[in-house]
């Protein structure tokens, strides 16, 4: 391949394809419009000025577009992060909050370098489905507050917005339906002078770009011990949401992304955000769904432009953006919640075929997330529940059958299945120590020894036979099992 051809192959899709370029630009604009009220709302949750949340959304999106691992994923200020750091801001002030954001970024860098992203493989599909469905429910619930105690025109405006997003794509998909909905509803409310809540009612938009600087805190050990617990919690919550969102986008787009790079990228983005005075953040599933599923974006350009457009809209078009009715954005987010929910997972046909344990894990994950409004808690509880159910199921798969040789001098026990801490506990009781012949053979050719508990159980069986003057021979161990057994046998006398 020639150098020119090689360089051409390295060019992003949007440079050579005008259609992709148009999709990415319009998607970035829609996301930027949806980010403004969200960022302001999360600022209120964290107890900071709206500009702090908007600055965070700008820097997170722009930086992650360059250093992140998942293309087209949107990172910005989020509710999960706001909930974690709100108490720190309330008790110690903005300086400590900014310092915690920078430290959280450092923690994410370290965790990313240590390969924490590889733990994603241990999250079962039922937890993933529960995570997605809970997220859709939370997105919808967040819109309900915008429908309470509001003037009556809000309701027909929301209905009109939903109708536009459902039917407009049948006319053309060149322009994203959410953008059309936002523009038309804004024009109607302004032209007709309809008094409804607007983006401007959420808070004042910034009039200038953020300026880098150090957090206003004493650089002492006391400050470090104060912010470290909040920073670590923020790092974990941010990584978990970001990696779960990345995995979801992988499935939607049928492409692979580097979760380690995404973890490190989140850390870099939070460090940069902290130095620019932002409140930090992580991947946003709602805005990512607008970008990927609703608008059809697939490249880093849409992510970068979402952040860039956000600042342009605030600084240059602030007065116009302030007039956007909240009803238009509520309609967009309601549409996102319906598109995000996995309706197939709750269809009666699916539920009839699904194992009870899988359904239980999904329901527990959803219940925990909705009850706590914390996606990380739901994922952890769901994963632990899935592991317990799996361990109970596998524990009963280890079977023992006994055959005595024709001459009656030897009894052969054939063990079938996986031997680990759950199944090996029952193993010791399945041998007839008193009545067996003087020689006992334990055939493990159809079994696998996974842990020290299983080796300890085998040692206990040998000991019980030895106490009765009988010998035990263990045969059929595969190489990994033989290696583990060889290392630990006889060394675990205190284990049983």
């Amino acid at each position: 391949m020639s150098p020119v051809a090689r360089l051409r192959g390295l060019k992003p899709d949007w440079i050579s394809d005008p259609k992709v370029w148009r999709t990415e630009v319009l998607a970035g604009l829609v996301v930027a419009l949806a980010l403004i009220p969200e960022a302001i709302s999360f600022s209120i949750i964290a107890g900071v000025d709206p500009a702090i949340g908007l600055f965070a959304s700008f820097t997170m999106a722009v930086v992650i577009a360059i250093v992140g691992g998942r293309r087209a994923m949107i990172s910005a200020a989020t509710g999960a992060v706001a909930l974690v750091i709100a108490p720190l801001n309330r008790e110690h002030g903005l300086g400590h909050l900014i310092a915690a954001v920078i430290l959280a970024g450092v923690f994410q860098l370290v965790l990313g370098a240590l390969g924490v992203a590889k733990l994603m493989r241990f999250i079962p599909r039922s937890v993933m489905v529960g995570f997605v469905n809970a997220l859709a429910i939370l997105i919808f619930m967040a819109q309900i507050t915008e429908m309470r105690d509001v003037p009556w025109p809000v309701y027909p405006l929301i209905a009109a917005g939903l109708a536009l997003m459902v039917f407009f794509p049948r006319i053309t998909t060149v322009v994203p339906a959410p953008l059309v909905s936002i523009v038309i509803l804004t024009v109607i409310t302004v032209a007709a002078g309809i008094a409804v809540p607007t983006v401007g009612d959420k808070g004042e938009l910034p009039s200038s770009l953020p300026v880098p600087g150090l957090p206003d805190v004493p650089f002492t050990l006391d400050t470090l011990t104060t912010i470290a617990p909040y920073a670590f919690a923020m790092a974990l919550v941010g990584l978990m949401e970001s990696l779960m969102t990345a995995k979801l986008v992988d499935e939607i787009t049928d492409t692979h992304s580097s979760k380690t790079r995404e973890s490190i990228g989140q850390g870099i983005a939070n460090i940069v955000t902290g130095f620019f005075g932002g409140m930090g953040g992580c991947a946003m599933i709602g805005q990512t769904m607008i970008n990927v599923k609703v608008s059809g974006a697939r490249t880093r350009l849409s992510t970068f432009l979402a952040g860039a457009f956000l600042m342009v809209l605030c600084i240059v078009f602030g007065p116009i953006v302030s007039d956007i009715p909240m009803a238009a954005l509520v309609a967009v987010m309601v549409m996102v919640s319906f598109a995000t929910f996995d309706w197939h997972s709750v269809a009666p046909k699916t539920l009839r075929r699904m194992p009870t344990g899988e359904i239980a894990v999904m329901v527990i994950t959803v219940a925990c997330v909705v009850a706590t409004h914390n996606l990380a808690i739901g994922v952890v509880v769901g994963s632990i529940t899935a592991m317990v159910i799996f361990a109970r199921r596998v524990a009963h798969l280890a079977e023992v059958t006994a055959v005595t040789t024709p001459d009656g001098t030897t009894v052969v026990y054939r063990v079938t299945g996986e031997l680990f801490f759950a199944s090996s506990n029952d193993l010791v009781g399945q041998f007839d120590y008193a009545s067996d012949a003087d020689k006992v053979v334990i055939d493990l050719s159809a079994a696998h020894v996974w842990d020290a508990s299983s080796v300890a159980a085998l040692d206990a069986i040998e000991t019980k036979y030895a106490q009765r003057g009988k010998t035990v021979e263990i045969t059929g161990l595969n190489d990994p099992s033989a290696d583990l057994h060889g290392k630990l046998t006889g060394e675990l006398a205190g284990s049983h």
Side-chain angles (χ1 to χ4, degrees):
M1 186 184 290
S2 68
V4 174
R6 195 178 293 115
L7 282 171
R8 193 175 291 131
L10 292 172
K11 285 197 301 184
D13 296 338
W14 53 269
I15 289 179
S16 54
D17 190 338
K19 187 178 177 182
V20 173
W21 188 87
R22 184 181 63 239
T23 300
E24 298 296 312
V25 171
L26 292 174
L29 182 57
V30 173
V31 171
L33 287 167
L35 274 174
I36 293 171
E38 292 269 302
I40 295 172
S41 299
F42 298 146
S43 300
I44 294 166
I45 291 171
V48 298
D49 189 78
I52 305 297
L54 290 163
F55 287 158
S57 295
F58 163 61
T59 53
M60 287 294 297
V62 168
V63 174
I64 208 68
I66 300 165
V67 299
R70 174 65 255 177
R71 291 183 297 172
M73 192 165 79
I74 304 296
S75 290
T78 60
V81 167
L83 287 168
V84 170
I85 58 177
L88 179 64
N89 180 63
R90 195 165 50 244
E91 293 168 22
H92 299 280
L94 181 62
H96 280 73
L97 182 150
I98 300 300
V101 170
I102 295 170
L103 184 59
V106 173
F107 281 143
Q108 288 177 329
L109 273 176
V110 173
L111 290 169
L114 291 174
V116 72
K118 292 174 183 173
L119 295 175
M120 286 298 294
R121 72 183 72 174
F122 295 107
I123 296 178
R125 184 184 178 279
S126 51
V127 174
M128 190 72 187
V129 172
F131 164 83
V132 170
N133 290 347
L135 204 54
I137 293 168
L138 286 184
I139 291 170
F140 183 80
M141 286 172 62
Q143 309 318 306
I144 292 175
T145 57
E146 302 294 339
M147 303 181 206
R148 288 181 182 152
D149 303 320
V150 292
W152 69 266
V154 167
Y155 303 110
L157 283 171
I158 292 173
L162 290 170
L164 278 167
M165 284 182 283
V166 171
F167 295 110
F168 186 79
R170 298 182 184 181
I171 302 169
T172 179
T173 55
V174 172
V175 183
L179 180 58
V180 174
S181 177
I182 291 167
V183 170
I184 290 177
L185 294 188
T186 303
V187 170
I188 290 172
T189 54
V190 172
I194 302 171
V196 291
T198 63
V199 170
D201 296 331
K202 286 285 184 182
E204 191 177 343
L205 303 180
S207 56
S208 62
L209 288 170
V211 178
L214 294 172
D216 184 18
V217 292
F219 291 90
T220 62
L221 184 61
D222 185 51
T223 300
L224 182 62
T225 54
T226 301
I227 67 172
Y230 295 96
F232 192 66
M234 177 187 159
L236 290 178
V237 169
L239 277 186
M240 190 171 290
E241 264 197 68
S242 299
L243 294 175
M244 290 289 281
T245 305
K247 190 175 179 183
L248 180 61
V249 178
D250 286 354
E251 292 180 4
I252 292 170
T253 60
D254 197 25
T255 56
H256 176 71
S257 63
S258 170
K259 305 302 182 296
T260 298
R261 178 175 170 179
E262 184 61 42
S263 303
I264 294 170
Q266 289 290 329
I268 294 170
N270 272 306
I271 291 170
V272 172
T273 297
F275 281 120
F276 275 91
M279 59 180 271
C282 61
M284 293 190 80
I285 187 108
Q287 272 62 26
T288 299
M289 289 299 102
I290 293 175
N291 198 43
V292 174
K293 209 166 188 178
V294 180
S295 302
R298 291 292 182 271
T299 76
R300 297 180 185 277
L301 180 63
S302 57
T303 307
F304 180 86
L305 289 179
F309 282 150
L310 175 66
M311 279 294 102
V312 172
L313 288 168
C314 290
I315 295 169
V316 181
F317 301 103
I320 298 172
V321 172
S322 295
D323 286 336
I324 295 174
M326 284 302 298
L329 297 168
V330 167
V332 171
M333 296 310 290
V334 168
M335 200 71 184
V336 167
S337 71
F338 274 86
T340 302
F341 197 91
D342 186 348
W343 296 101
H344 176 72
S345 68
V346 294
K349 185 178 177 182
T350 305
L351 294 175
R352 279 196 299 270
R353 294 180 176 180
M354 194 73 70
T356 307
E358 301 272 316
I359 297 171
V361 169
M362 182 178 74
V363 170
I364 288 169
T365 303
V366 171
C368 285
V369 172
V370 173
T372 63
H373 284 234
N374 190 319
L375 293 162
I377 291 174
V379 170
V380 170
V381 172
S383 298
I384 291 172
T385 305
M387 289 174 189
V388 170
I389 291 171
F390 174 76
R392 284 175 61 86
R393 189 185 302 157
V394 176
H396 300 296
L397 295 180
E399 295 180 355
V400 179
T401 53
V403 178
T404 304
T405 55
D407 59 8
T409 59
T410 306
V411 59
V412 179
Y413 283 93
R414 182 173 173 79
V415 182
T416 305
E418 309 300 317
L419 297 182
F420 67 113
F421 61 89
S423 59
S424 61
N425 287 335
D426 299 328
L427 190 65
V428 180
Q430 296 191 50
F431 292 81
D432 190 353
Y433 303 101
S435 305
D436 280 343
D438 288 343
K439 185 178 180 184
V440 177
V441 176
I442 301 175
D443 180 8
L444 296 176
S445 56
H448 187 100
V449 178
W450 285 103
D451 59 8
S453 296
S454 304
V455 177
L458 292 171
D459 283 356
I461 293 166
E462 289 189 80
T463 301
K464 287 179 181 293
Y465 277 116
Q467 288 170 348
R468 291 167 174 79
K470 300 173 182 180
T471 59
V472 174
E473 181 186 358
I474 296 174
T475 63
L477 285 167
N478 57 35
D479 289 342
S481 299
D483 186 48
L484 183 66
H485 186 263
K487 285 179 183 175
L488 298 179
T489 186
E491 303 293 329
L492 303 168
S495 302
H496 51 77

